[in-house]
Amino acid sequence: MDITIHTSSLPHVDPDESLAFYRDVLGFEVRNDVGQGKMRWITVGPANQPDTSILLAPPAVDPGLTDDERRTIAEMMAKGTYGWILLATRNLDDTFEKVQASNAEVVQEPTVQPYGIRDCAFRDPAGNLVRIQELR
């Protein structure tokens, strides 16, 4: 089989704030931005990986969701337990400083984990956990 990761999605609460974080703070390019108001689907990704993207999407818009499911998603997003992504960089300290300077919520400063990976963690404007690990 020849399968690749093309797009992964994260929910947003405020598309403009999420766009500013992923474009201006993390440096991702905007590949698509459709819809209007809070009903926007924004595709971003690293310039050097044109075939891999993150879709920032409004949460809980599937017509098959119940009101209880929508409430649960909203509660999980508010607590920061709904969406997360793992990114990587060759220079974790410089990346951490840049993201921290943006006033993003720091969850964990650069740390060597018990399993050997050095990483840090932030929350994006929607509360999604963004872990950034250092490539060796």
Side-chain angles (χ1 to χ4, degrees):
M1 278 193 267
D2 182 20
I3 298 174
T4 62
I5 297 173
H6 183 264
T7 304
S8 183
S9 67
L10 288 173
H12 68 65
V13 176
D14 182 317
D16 291 322
E17 285 183 357
S18 289
L19 178 59
F21 179 79
Y22 286 93
R23 180 193 59 208
D24 303 336
V25 177
L26 296 183
F28 289 168
E29 65 183 10
V30 178
R31 303 205 173 126
N32 207 356
D33 186 345
V34 298
Q36 55 187 310
K38 291 194 182 266
M39 296 301 284
R40 281 171 62 196
W41 287 259
I42 304 165
T43 307
V44 297
N48 64 347
Q49 291 181 290
D51 296 331
T52 304
S53 300
I54 299 169
L55 173 63
L56 305 170
V61 294
D62 184 330
L65 292 175
T66 66
D67 289 341
D68 285 342
E69 290 168 328
R70 283 185 174 77
R71 266 191 300 282
T72 298
I73 290 169
E75 290 169 3
M76 290 178 71
M77 285 181 66
K79 291 186 338 187
T81 59
Y82 185 67
W84 67 278
I85 193 162
L86 177 59
L87 305 174
T89 183
R90 295 208 180 277
N91 191 328
L92 186 64
D93 294 319
D94 285 352
T95 300
F96 178 81
E97 287 180 23
K98 181 178 180 185
V99 178
Q100 184 181 35
S102 76
N103 293 321
E105 179 188 345
V106 175
V107 175
Q108 182 181 59
E109 294 189 7
T111 303
V112 177
Q113 301 295 343
Y115 41 88
I117 299 294
R118 184 168 183 260
D119 69 356
C120 64
F122 295 92
R123 295 227 182 269
D124 77 2
N128 299 306
L129 182 65
V130 178
R131 293 201 75 85
I132 305 171
Q133 73 180 35
E134 187 169 53
L135 293 173
R136 296 180 190 202

